[in-house]
Every structure is written in C-alpha cells, then in structure tokens.
Amino acid sequence: MAINENEQAELFETDEVSVVQDGDELDAGSMVAFVTEKFKRAEDARYTDENRWLRAYRNYRGLYGPDVQFTETEKSRVFVKVTKTKTLAAYGQIVDVLFGSSRFPLTVNPTTLPEGVAESVHINIDPNAEQAQEELSSAFGQEPKVTFLFDPNEKLKPGETMYDRMKRLGPLENKLEQVGDKVIEGPGTTQSTVTFHPAMVAAKKMEKKIHDQLEESGANKQLRHTAFEMALFGTGIMKGPFAIDKEYPNWDMESGDYNPTIKTVPSTSHVSIWNFYPDPDAYNMDEVEFVVERHRMTRSQMRGLKSRPFFREESIDEAINLGESYEKKYWEQDMEDDSQYSSAPYRYEVLEFWGYVDTDILAEHGVTIPKELKNSEQVSVNAWICNGKVLRLVLNPFKPARIPYYAVPYELNPYSFFGVGIAENMDDTQTLMNGFMRMAIDNAALSGNLIIEVDETNLVPGQDLSVYPGKIFRRQGGAPGQGIFGTKFPNVAGENMQLFDKARVLADESTGFPSFAHGQTGVSGVGRTASGISMLMSAANGSIRNVVKNVDDYLIGPIGRAFFAFNMQFDFDSEIKGDLEVKASGTESLMANEVRSQRLMQFMGVASNPALMPFVKSDYIIREIAKSMDLDPDKVTNSLGDAAIQAEILKKFQQPPPAPPEGAPQGPPAPPSPSAAPEQAGVGVQDTTGAGGGNIGTGTAPTPGEQGFTGT
C-alpha cells in the first residue's frame, strides 16, 4: 500500500531532513523574492506565446480580436468556425488512441537482461533431465552443468548470500520456497518441465498496479483536459503522481452509520497551460531548472492547506488576514465573455515552486541539508508563496529528484518549449475563409435587391419615393419608363465561394486533417469507394502518428515511469520489484484491430509447422490476439503454469478407455447396417454417400455418430 506524505516525512527524518515549523523565527523575504523573481522572468518570456494562444482561443470560439477592423461598407460579421471542427477532430483522435481500447496504452516489461531477478526458471521434475543436459553439453563440447538456485553443494560467489540467491526468484520466492533445491535458472529443455518467468510476473503485477492507480486517481478525466489543450494551444500539461487520501463510501450494515474507508492512492492532475510558467531557457522538461504554477484559491481552499503535510498554519493565517491578492492578467480579461465583471475577484494568488535553490537560502530558513547533499551548492525544493509568506518549504520528496510536471507538444517546435497546435497551423487559412465568406454575403445582399434610379424631372414633385408592390408614380413629362430605372447589381458570390473552398483545402493541407476525416459529405474521386476511402483514411493517419508518438514520448512514458518510481519508493511489495522498463504503446493502437488480428492469425498459420513450433512464443501470440479483439488477456488466457496444468487435465480426458481383462464377458455386437455389409466381409469400399470422406476398409461396421455411418 502506498504511504502518505506524513510517512514520507518519517523516511526523510532518518536522513536528517527537516523543515521549518510554526514559531520559528526567520525572515521569509529572501525565499519570496527568489520565487517571485523566477515567476516574473518566466512570465515575461512567454508573452509572445500568450498572444499565440489568445489568437487560437478566439479562432476556436469564433471571435474577432481587437486587431480586426471592419470598414463602414462591410455589413457582415460572420465567422466560420472551421478551427473548432478541426480541433475537436484532432482531440477526438488523440482520446480514441488513449482510451479507445479496454486498457491504458502503457505496458511494463522486464529489461533485456534483468538485474537482480531471474528471467526464467524451471523445476527439475524429470529424472532424466541431468542426463539429457549432459548429452546436450557433450554434443556441443561444453562442460555439463546444472545450476540450482538453492543447491547447498554449489559454492557461492564472493559477497553472495543464500538470501541474495533466493531474491532472484522475485515474486515467486514464497511460492517456490518448498522446492528450492530443485529450481534451476533458465528455461526448461523438455516438454514435461514447467518454466516460470519471475521477471515477467513482476512486470505484469507492476503493470496491473499502475493501471489500477490510474483508474483510482481519475486520470482519464485529467488526460482528456490535457489532450484538448494540446490540440488547441499546442501543449498539454500533466502533474503527479502525489499521494492523496481517497474516501470510499461505506455504511455500517447494523447501525446504518456512514463509515467511509480512507485509502492512500497516487493521483495526477491537469495543469492549465495558462497557469504553467517553466524555465524560459529550457526547450523541454528534461532541461528545466524550475517550474512555477499559479493557483487561484478561495478562502476555504487556503484554510484547507493546513491539513496537508508540511504547510505552516501561522503563515497561512497571516496570508489570509492580508486579504485577497489575485489580480487578473490581460489574457484572462480578454477570454472572459462578460467584460463588465470586476477585475478584482475575491481570490488569493498562490505560487507553487519546484526547482533548484541555493543552499544558502535554505540555511536562512532553517532547513537542514541531508548529509549526502552537504557539499552541494543547490538542492531541489518545493515552496508555496502567498502574500509574501512562505506557506511551505520542503526538500523534493522524490528520489531521484524530479520535477513532477509533464509537457507534451502537439507538434514539436525544437527551438521553443511550447509546441504548435491545430489553431495556429490554420490561422491564416481561417482568416482567408472569414474574409471570402463576408465578401460573398455582402455581395449577395447587394445582388439580391434592385438598385433604383429616379429622374425627378419627369415626376410630379412631392411624391413618396418608397417602392413596394402596386406603387403608383405620377409623371409630368418625358417618355414612358424614363423616370424610374431598376438596375441589378452583379452577383460574384460564386467566385468568392470558390476562393473559400480553396482556402478550406489549404486548411486541410496545413493541419493534416482532411475534411472527410471529420464528416464532410459529397466526397468524389477515389473516395467514392470503400477501398478508396480506406486508403485516404490510412494516409490521413500519417499526421496523427507523429502526434501520438509525442504523447508516448512526452506524457505516457514519463508519467508511467513516475508511477513506477513512486511504487518502488513508497510501496514495499516484493512482488512488484524487479529490473523493469515502462513502455508507452499508444502508437500500437493506431493499427486497426482487424489488420493486427489478421496478421497474427497468418503468423500462427505459418508457425503451425511442427518444425517451427519450438521457435514460436505461443503464449505471447495468444495474448496479442486477445488484445486485438478488445479482450482482457489476463481473463481469457492462462499463464504458462496454468496452461501446463490445463494440458495435463485434457490428457486424462483424451486417453482411450482401458481394455477389458481377458475372459471378461463381451457386450452384444452392434447390428450391421445395410451400407456396412460389404465392410463386415473385410472388403474395402469407397464411400459414395458424401458423409464418410474417404476409403473405408476397417472390416468392422462403424457405429452411429462415427464418420462413415450412413445407415438408418
């Protein structure tokens, strides 16, 4: 079970790590100034990025910014929200990759050469195993050797103990303890031996644990928010894992009282890109020296910080008494729909800092540096600042020290921390589409009405010049029809719409998302057939593959490794320990399940050759086939040990019944059938009924239900 932060503190106390408690006399000015300076520096550096995000947000919402000026003759203010359609299409594809299958796209496997745990072991239950190994070794000119893990006659290596050797069984240590003197490292060489894989068992237990923790922490909802901002703004931010106490509803069946169950679980959270201020000199999270997150808290949320570990109650009370300090940024005022709302909300601005701080500053605050970091000039810390007060100041609790934020770009910009999103890629084409559509609508408004020209010299003065059906004009001179002329304005809306369609095609090219991929009708050409549209969709997936690869490399993989490190550090379960590696498998979800299943079936057909079966990992192929069918492989497939037991059970059912002893009375013979009469005479005949399927020459009549029986 994972431990909470109070238990983490007990771990740190053994290393002489301490924090400043309430009542300690200190000057918080240096730490506050340090964090504030870092925040201002990061805020100034991302000003250009904020303008890009604002344009992307307006294009998504269908709003014109203050930089768009309309002339007096322009009447239409229409905004064609193609950006919204493209963004939601990209968001839908990313979510489909992350949550389209029954399992989270994250796998844990043992490394190529596992350290500290055996890759495979088997039990020597075959009395001829040693003889077979001797013959095999002599055939290859090697010394015969059978390495028992717990053989007392075998000499231990320098510095090795029997306990160390037992640890190589990993999660199977307790299960195989009774037969330790028969356990041999390495795979079995005969069909009668059962092979176990301790490294793989530990990996799959760790994988199931991480999947359960992601589900318990509600990571699906947080990842959806991250995927949306990634598609819209170009970068999505996740944070975690942190240990929290989760409440599970529980009622006492006898008294009916509500007694919830509290369980400590790791959790993740989504961080809005607007509240994320990274090191401006870094291009990715591996290079950052610090990260500042801006919080917008209510008074009750501020008081709630007192219940969290290492937060200083007196400093929180002082910050609350100083009053609300949150001030809206310019981008917040632009994004809000109601501009008349007060710019001074009743909220507190809290800065959360993760990064490296000089040890001199920590010494001023009374933080004891652990002995292994005594010679370090800077250490990684976590600090919370509000209203000039230090609410929390602790050393980074993670080992190895890491900043628990993950920034995933939609489209990687190698020379900037923040990526490029769908809205920015089609910014120019969105402007063109809006302009051509406004021109078409204004032209349609003019060409749909007649332009009336009046010659007042031919009309009686003082008349009403309004035009309506049945209107009568009094004329005093001139030829008939010369007083009033109706002129039709030329209609060029069709030409504007052609340019609009061209701009839309350019939007497809710039974003990599063709219109038919998100529901456009009337597709012509190669897309009119099923195979043609399949080829087009396959080509359209080329752009999303790069995006999914970024999700794997920058989000799923790092957050999976963070959960792995969290469990290895704070969860003392021997069954999940091992030399393991975390792999993000999002790109595998892009391959259609039908195609993947078909390829696996074809490979199974090739490997059905008895000469090739020893080279095939059948258990892995069966599990992959189950995954391609959206089935849980742990529920529909057996492990190697269970498969061996199942095979032994099936052998008992498939064995022929024992022959009756000599002299035992025989049962009455079966009555011969008309079609089997020639066979009773011992003559082989050709079955011509279509039910037999081959030559019959057994000399005995088949019983009903057997192949070849055609009588009644």
Side-chain angles (χ1 to χ4, degrees), residues 63 65 90 135 208 294 373 438 442 514 519 544 580 592 648:
L63 305 174
E135 295 176 356
K208 292 182 66 175
R294 181 170 176 257
L373 300 177
R438 292 198 307 267
D442 289 340
I544 197 63
L580 312 178
E648 293 295 331

Side-chain angles (χ1 to χ4, degrees), residues 347-382:
R347 296 291 186 270
Y348 293 87
E349 182 181 77
V350 181
L351 301 181
E352 180 183 359
F353 174 86
W354 289 84
Y356 289 93
V357 178
D358 293 341
T359 54
D360 297 340
I361 298 179
L362 296 181
E364 295 177 5
H365 289 262
V367 178
T368 303
I369 308 300
K371 53 186 178 182
E372 63 270 14
L373 300 177
K374 286 291 186 180
N375 297 327
S376 301
E377 296 182 358
Q378 60 180 10
V379 293
S380 181
V381 302
N382 171 231

Side-chain angles (χ1 to χ4, degrees), residues 18 71 89 118 129 143 148 168 206 215 251 316 323 332 355 432 490 505 534 558 571 599 606 623 649 654 684 695:
S18 64
T71 63
E143 290 291 334
F148 292 91
R168 291 188 58 79
M206 174 66 81
E215 183 179 355
W251 284 266
I316 294 175
E332 290 180 286
L432 291 175
V505 172
S534 177
D571 195 332
R599 292 181 179 178
V606 174
R623 292 178 63 90
I649 296 175
Q654 294 174 356
N695 294 327

Side-chain angles (χ1 to χ4, degrees), residues 78-89:
V78 65
F79 195 110
V80 185
K81 293 195 285 187
V82 181
T83 299
K84 179 179 180 180
T85 304
K86 299 285 187 185
T87 302
L88 293 180

Side-chain angles (χ1 to χ4, degrees), residues 250-260:
N250 181 39
W251 284 266
D252 192 345
M253 299 299 296
E254 297 181 358
S255 62
D257 297 336
Y258 179 66
N259 298 320

Side-chain angles (χ1 to χ4, degrees), residues 28-36 292-295 297 302 305 311-312 319 325 348-353 365 382-393:
S30 58
M31 191 64 201
V32 173
F34 179 83
V35 175
T36 304
V292 180
E293 181 183 354
R294 181 170 176 257
H295 295 273
M297 290 188 173
M302 289 284 293
L305 295 177
F311 276 88
R312 310 171 185 174
S325 58
Y348 293 87
E349 182 181 77
V350 181
L351 301 181
E352 180 183 359
F353 174 86
H365 289 262
N382 171 231
W384 292 59
I385 307 298
C386 179
N387 278 346
K389 304 296 180 181
V390 179
L391 308 184
R392 185 182 194 237
L393 179 59

